[in-house]
């Protein structure tokens, strides 16, 4: 009680204009420092996986635009190839007649309009940009692979760098992921469906992001596979958090054998 | 522009709609894209109930928010400072706001606001751990809390016990969804009310619909 009284007096004494001014300056300084120190490797990993996803969406959107544009000039070739990246590379490196020849057509038979070189060059500018989107995405995936292997080797070995990073992203931080029960990890990425289930009694979702993992995707009983994988991931995350020894391969092999 | 029934809050009609404002403490600066209105050389910032639960409570008929010019406020869950900026306008340059939040990303924005407004101090801390920031603030006239956490009532009481002066006011915004999505909001609000009433006197209560779905705000006083 005496101590409480004392701290009350102390708190009261800080209400003076001079004290408030001092607290303003101190808090500003301390808070800036605390923000600086709050950034961990997990923040960098989360921004990386978000960028990879954005690049994927962006490249896809631009590639669809590129095709619409380029098809005015050479529709038959665009139709013959579905891979956006290869398509972008080929239309830059080869002429229309070469490309048509590859699919057994003559220029004279094409529905494509004959447009000026300037017009074609404008289209190819966009193709160049799209290729750099795909290249950047690939480089970031390599960076992510390395970063994950160092940051959380067990989770990485078990789930793969993309899925592990997406789990981190959904959880918000490594610490939060660490504190989650495996049943929550199993449903990360399915929050909307889960909310609908709780509110309206709709079907309860059985898996979120981890459905993308081959052992779940290929399994006949996906719900069971998802539960098993989530259990193992939750162990791997804890081992990584406390910097335990490497058991990622063992965990992965264990689950692959059981689900064969 | 005329005075509203709330201290330092102003109002005027725009067509049929009533709009509330606070006097801008930092001339010419917007905080979150709100409209600025100048009348008789005084600049006012529009305070929209769709962006701020405190504005929503005023629009829903709060007669008093307990915050006056010159007051010292502890604001828990300050985020990037939307509502805190209006509280800073109300208390004015002789008042003070301790604005606390535990998410570094939003506190980064809050720091910029505090650099512009010398009456707000940022604190990066967990409201559930008062011992970690007790040395960073003073006794306060008002505690305001908006943190959307499951155990928010407990956190609220803990802070009021420690930092709120006797007879001081305390406001808490309650989000039903963050407590339990399966129960009816009104039911949950009653549970929160009972918990708060163990230590504080509740003097006003408003549901914030339609501005904020399934939210309410309690205004309390320390015995
Ligand atoms: C709904 S927002 C507040 C919006 C703000 N009051 C406004 O009107 O401008 C809730 C905030 O509470 C913060 N928060 C949640 N739990 C917290 C805790 N235990 N300690 C500190 N801040 C917390 C979140 O980071 C978030 O920024």
């Amino acid at each position: 009680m005496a101590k409480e009284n004392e701290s009350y007096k102390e708190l009261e004494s800080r209400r003076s204009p001079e004290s408030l001014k001092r607290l303003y300056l101190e808090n500003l300084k301390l808070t800036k420092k605390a923000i600086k120190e709050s950034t961990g490797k997990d923040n960098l990993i989360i921004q990386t996986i978000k960028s990879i996803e954005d690049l994927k969406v962006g490249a896809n959107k631009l590639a669809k635009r590129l095709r619409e544009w380029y098809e005015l000039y050479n529709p038959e070739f665009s139709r013959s190839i579905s891979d956006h990246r290869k398509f972008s590379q080929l239309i830059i490196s080869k002429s229309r007649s070469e490309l048509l020849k590859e699919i057994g057509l003559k220029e004279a038979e094409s529905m494509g309009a004959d447009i000026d070189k300037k017009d074609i060059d404008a289209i190819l500018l966009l193709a160049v940009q799209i290729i750099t989107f795909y290249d950047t995405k690939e480089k970031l995936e390599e960076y992510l692979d390395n970063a994950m292997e160092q940051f959380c080797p067990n989770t990485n070995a078990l789930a793969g760098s993309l899925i592990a990073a997406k789990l981190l992203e959904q959880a918000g931080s490594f610490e939060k992921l660490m504190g989650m029960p495996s049943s929550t990890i199993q449903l990360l990425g399915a929050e909307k469906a889960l909310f609908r289930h709780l509110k309206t009694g709709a079907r309860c979702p059985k898996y979120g992001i981890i459905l993308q993992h081959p052992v779940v995707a290929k399994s006949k009983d996906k719900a069971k596979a998802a539960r098993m994988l989530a259990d193992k991931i939750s162990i791997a995350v804890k081992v990584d958090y406390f910097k335990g020894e490497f058991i990622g391969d063992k965990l992965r092999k264990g689950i692959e054998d059981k689900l064969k | 522009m005329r005075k509203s029934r709330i201290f330092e809050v102003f109002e005027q009609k725009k067509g049929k709609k009533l709009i509330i404002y606070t006097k801008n403490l930092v001339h010419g600066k917007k905080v979150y894209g709100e409209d600025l209105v100048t009348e008789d050389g005084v600049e006012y910032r529009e305070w929209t109930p769709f962006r701020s639960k405190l504005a929503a409570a005023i629009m829903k008929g709060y007669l008093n928010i307990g915050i006056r010019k010159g007051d010292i406020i502890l604001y828990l869950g300050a985020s990037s400072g939307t509502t805190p900026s209006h509280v800073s306008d109300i208390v004015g340059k002789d008042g003070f706001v301790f604005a606390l939040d535990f998410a570094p990303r939003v506190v980064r924005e809050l720091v910029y606001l505090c650099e512009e407004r010398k009456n707000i101090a940022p604190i990066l801390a967990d409201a559930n751990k008062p011992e970690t920031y007790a040395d960073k603030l003073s006794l306060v006239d008002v505690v305001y809390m908006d943190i959307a956490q499951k155990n928010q009532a407990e956190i609220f009481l803990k802070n009021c016990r420690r930092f709120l002066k006797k007879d001081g006011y305390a406001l808490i915004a309650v989000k039903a969804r963050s407590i339990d999505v399966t129960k009816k909001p009104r039911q949950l609000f009653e549970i929160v009310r009972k918990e708060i009433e163990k230590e504080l006197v509740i003097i006003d209560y408003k549901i914030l619909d339609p501005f904020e779905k399934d939210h309410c705000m309690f205004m309390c006083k320390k015995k």
Side-chain angles (χ1 to χ4, degrees):
Chain A
M1 190 66 212
K3 203 175 157 207
E4 240 169 58
N5 237 333
E6 209 173 295
S7 72
Y8 189 88
K9 280 228 172 80
E10 167 71 34
L11 281 168
E12 201 168 22
S13 74
R14 294 193 206 127
R15 288 171 59 92
S16 69
E18 305 76 52
S19 291
L20 291 175
K21 183 147 192 222
R22 179 180 58 81
L23 284 170
Y24 170 80
L25 293 171
E26 280 177 9
N27 278 319
L28 206 52
K29 206 166 139 194
L30 278 172
T31 300
K32 285 183 182 177
K33 187 156 171 273
I35 290 173
K36 181 185 169 102
E37 286 164 1
S38 73
T39 292
K41 199 82 182 175
D42 50 347
N43 300 100
L44 298 174
I45 286 167
I46 289 168
Q47 291 305 321
T48 308
I49 185 72
K50 281 183 192 281
S51 299
I52 289 170
E53 284 159 4
D54 287 351
L55 282 165
K56 193 168 146 192
V57 171
N60 206 25
K61 185 160 187 206
L62 288 173
K64 282 189 180 150
R65 171 60 51 223
L66 174 68
R67 281 176 185 268
E68 280 293 320
W69 195 359
Y70 181 80
E71 279 167 17
L72 297 171
Y73 169 59
N74 181 6
E76 292 85 2
F77 177 70
S78 173
R79 195 183 159 83
S80 75
I81 173 168
S82 59
D83 185 296
H84 292 327
R85 190 182 192 172
K86 271 204 200 107
F87 167 74
S88 308
Q89 282 161 344
L90 282 169
I91 65 172
I92 291 172
S93 60
K94 293 189 179 174
S95 71
R96 177 166 71 173
S97 62
E98 286 172 311
L99 292 171
L100 283 171
K101 204 164 159 195
E102 282 182 11
I103 56 169
L105 281 175
K106 292 206 182 69
E107 256 187 321
E109 301 162 341
S110 167
M111 291 186 279
D114 295 319
I115 57 177
D116 294 343
K117 172 150 191 317
K118 255 194 209 154
D119 298 324
I120 300 167
D121 288 345
I123 300 174
L124 298 185
L125 280 178
L126 184 58
V128 171
Q129 207 45 247
I130 290 167
I131 293 167
T132 66
F133 268 51
Y134 284 111
D135 290 348
T136 306
K137 177 171 164 274
E138 210 170 85
K139 281 185 201 141
L140 288 183
E141 281 168 356
E142 273 167 34
Y143 160 78
L144 183 71
D145 244 2
N146 284 324
M148 292 299 280
E149 205 179 314
Q150 284 191 6
F151 180 66
C152 49
N154 289 289
T155 316
N156 184 53
L158 178 59
S161 63
L162 284 176
I163 291 175
K166 284 180 192 172
L167 291 173
L168 260 180
E169 179 194 357
Q170 289 296 323
S173 74
F174 193 44
E175 198 179 344
K176 283 189 195 151
L177 185 59
M178 207 277 298
M180 283 178 175
S182 67
S183 56
T184 306
I185 294 177
Q186 186 182 341
L187 296 182
L188 275 178
E191 285 72 18
K192 267 197 193 141
L194 180 64
F195 188 65
R196 213 178 312 123
H197 160 69
L198 291 171
K199 193 113 193 190
T200 70
R203 202 179 51 90
C204 177
K206 304 273 190 310
Y207 30 71
I209 291 159
I210 63 173
L211 175 63
Q212 295 165 22
H213 195 287
V215 305
V216 181
K218 283 191 206 136
S219 165
K220 279 206 191 79
D221 187 348
K222 293 194 169 51
K224 183 177 154 209
R227 184 160 22 85
M228 283 174 61
L229 179 61
D231 271 342
K232 295 280 184 283
I233 289 177
S234 123
I235 295 170
V237 169
K238 288 187 179 83
V239 174
D240 285 331
Y241 192 85
F242 295 106
K243 306 232 183 306
E245 57 185 273
F246 186 70
I247 54 165
D249 282 350
K250 243 189 270 165
L251 287 174
R252 180 157 188 149
K253 186 144 188 323
I255 191 163
E256 278 170 354
D257 288 347
K258 259 193 212 153
L259 287 169
K260 236 177 220 156
Chain B
M1 191 77 63
R2 56 168 194 258
K3 283 188 172 168
S4 77
R5 59 188 185 283
I6 312 278
F7 288 117
E8 295 302 308
V9 177
F10 303 82
E11 61 185 30
Q12 69 177 6
K13 285 252 164 94
K14 221 191 223 172
K16 271 189 188 149
K17 266 197 323 195
L18 186 73
I19 297 185
I20 59 173
Y21 299 84
T22 55
K23 265 189 207 165
N24 196 356
L25 185 74
V26 186
H27 190 85
K29 291 261 169 142
K30 294 183 180 190
V31 175
Y32 54 97
E34 71 281 17
D35 277 343
L36 299 181
V37 176
T38 305
E39 206 181 284
D40 299 328
V42 182
E43 189 175 72
Y44 300 88
R45 295 167 53 227
E46 180 171 339
W47 192 8
T48 148
F50 291 101
R51 295 285 299 271
S52 167
K53 281 154 219 161
L54 188 53
I58 294 172
M59 296 300 267
K60 290 285 298 208
Y62 257 54
L63 297 175
N64 173 2
I65 54 171
I67 304 175
R68 285 165 304 189
K69 211 175 189 159
D71 275 353
I72 303 176
I73 318 290
L74 171 56
Y75 193 123
L76 303 164
S79 191
S80 52
T82 303
T83 304
S85 70
H86 289 285
V87 174
S88 144
D89 283 347
I90 294 172
V91 299
K93 62 180 182 5
D94 296 325
F96 203 80
V97 184
F98 294 99
L100 179 143
D101 203 291
F102 71 175
R105 178 65 189 92
V106 294
V107 176
R108 201 162 84 206
E109 306 300 323
L110 185 64
V111 164
Y112 298 129
L113 183 73
C114 296
E115 285 183 325
E116 256 173 43
R117 291 173 173 257
K118 309 285 177 217
N119 71 352
I120 316 182
I123 300 177
L124 182 71
D126 183 344
N128 201 13
K129 296 178 184 148
E131 66 282 1
T132 61
Y133 53 88
D135 58 338
K136 298 185 172 67
L137 43 78
S138 72
L139 196 69
V140 300
D141 301 297
V142 179
V143 170
Y144 180 94
M145 187 168 106
D146 176 14
I147 64 169
Q149 289 274 328
K150 203 163 187 163
N151 59 337
Q152 51 198 331
E154 181 199 332
I155 300 177
F156 182 61
L157 291 176
K158 222 190 249 187
N159 281 278
C160 290
R161 222 176 282 144
R162 189 151 183 171
F163 304 117
L164 183 60
K165 71 171 191 192
K166 192 170 171 292
D167 293 324
Y169 292 103
L171 295 117
I172 177 174
V174 179
K175 179 181 179 183
R177 229 208 244 175
S178 58
I179 305 177
D180 186 339
V181 292
T182 63
K183 287 212 178 71
K184 290 239 157 49
R186 302 256 172 172
Q187 233 176 316
L188 292 167
F189 297 158
E190 280 317 299
I191 296 173
V192 173
R193 170 194 289 274
K194 289 224 175 73
E195 193 171 346
I196 294 174
E197 272 176 341
K198 283 185 204 154
E199 293 186 32
L200 302 169
V201 183
I202 293 179
I203 53 182
D204 208 344
Y205 160 73
K206 290 276 182 291
I207 301 266
L208 303 184
D209 275 48
F211 304 114
E212 287 279 355
K213 216 173 148 254
D214 299 342
H215 278 72
C216 78
M217 190 176 287
F218 290 103
M219 178 169 167
C220 324
K221 194 168 179 175
K222 191 165 177 173
K223 289 183 241 190

